[in-house]
Amino acid sequence: MSDTWTGWKARTQLAPAPSDPDLTWLKRSLVRAAFISGPGEIGRLRRIIRRLSSKDVPGALDLAGEQANAIYYRLWGDKADRFGFAGLPDAFHRLTQNPSLLRDMDEILAWARDVSPVAGVLPDLPFSCSLEVPSSAPRISWPHLTGPPWSLPGRRAPACCISGISRPMPS
């Protein structure tokens, strides 16, 4: 990825050039955000980004809840020691120092929400699961799920049914 949305606007003099300190690394998160398809995940991430934009790190971490590590990796894409973070609060605080990236991320997530083919239904499983079911997924009898989804006999690629993948798997 050669630039961010704000970077492209700056090239055409429609916005000031971004000066985010972590832009080189974080611009990859914009590509990852474009592939998010679950409305629940999109909505949660947008709320977190808005909290970070207003420098409310504790509020962002509260919203992230048990998904804070997954969100960390969605945004940073690598281990904390690579960046020298002391923990999640430190990593989330560092995001607040990248305002143009947070604005671009919010805009990309708004687009992803508008084009998402995912119904946003959470499967009823006997364990906590934040993965959303695509609207075109065949219905699986979730209470009978006793092993990993890919181990269900007679099901073709059932992992796709709970992973947010919306395209059919190749045969």
Side-chain angles (χ1 to χ4, degrees):
M1 180 174 185
S2 64
D3 214 337
T4 64
W5 179 237
T6 299
W8 283 104
K9 289 191 291 188
R11 288 179 185 204
T12 60
Q13 300 178 350
L14 295 174
S19 59
D20 300 23
D22 302 302
L23 201 56
T24 301
W25 188 263
L26 286 172
K27 67 183 174 181
R28 296 175 190 151
S29 69
L30 298 175
V31 174
R32 289 189 291 272
F35 286 97
I36 299 173
S37 59
E41 182 181 4
I42 291 169
R44 174 185 253 175
L45 193 50
R46 288 188 79 200
R47 289 188 300 275
I48 290 167
I49 287 188
R50 289 178 181 152
R51 293 281 176 113
L52 293 171
S53 293
S54 64
K55 310 245 187 260
D56 180 9
V57 174
L61 285 165
D62 282 345
L63 281 172
E66 64 184 31
Q67 297 297 315
N69 278 324
I71 291 166
Y72 164 84
Y73 277 101
R74 174 77 77 184
L75 298 173
W76 287 102
D78 209 339
K79 293 184 264 181
D81 59 359
R82 178 173 181 127
F83 305 105
F85 296 140
L88 286 171
D90 189 28
F92 274 51
H93 175 71
R94 179 96 155 261
L95 289 167
T96 67
Q97 299 169 16
N98 294 275
S100 77
L101 181 108
L102 293 173
R103 282 190 304 274
D104 287 353
M105 176 77 69
D106 190 51
E107 191 171 336
I108 288 168
L109 290 169
W111 168 83
R113 178 205 58 215
D114 292 345
V115 300
S116 175
V118 177
V121 176
L122 294 176
D124 183 22
L125 296 170
F127 51 86
S128 177
C129 177
S130 64
L131 300 176
E132 300 172 65
V133 179
S135 58
S136 62
R139 297 290 177 221
I140 292 177
S141 181
W142 300 109
H144 304 298
L145 184 64
T146 57
W150 51 88
S151 70
L152 292 173
R155 303 282 186 200
R156 182 170 167 235
C160 296
C161 298
I162 63 167
S163 68
I165 297 172
S166 59
R167 293 182 193 91
M169 294 296 286
S171 299

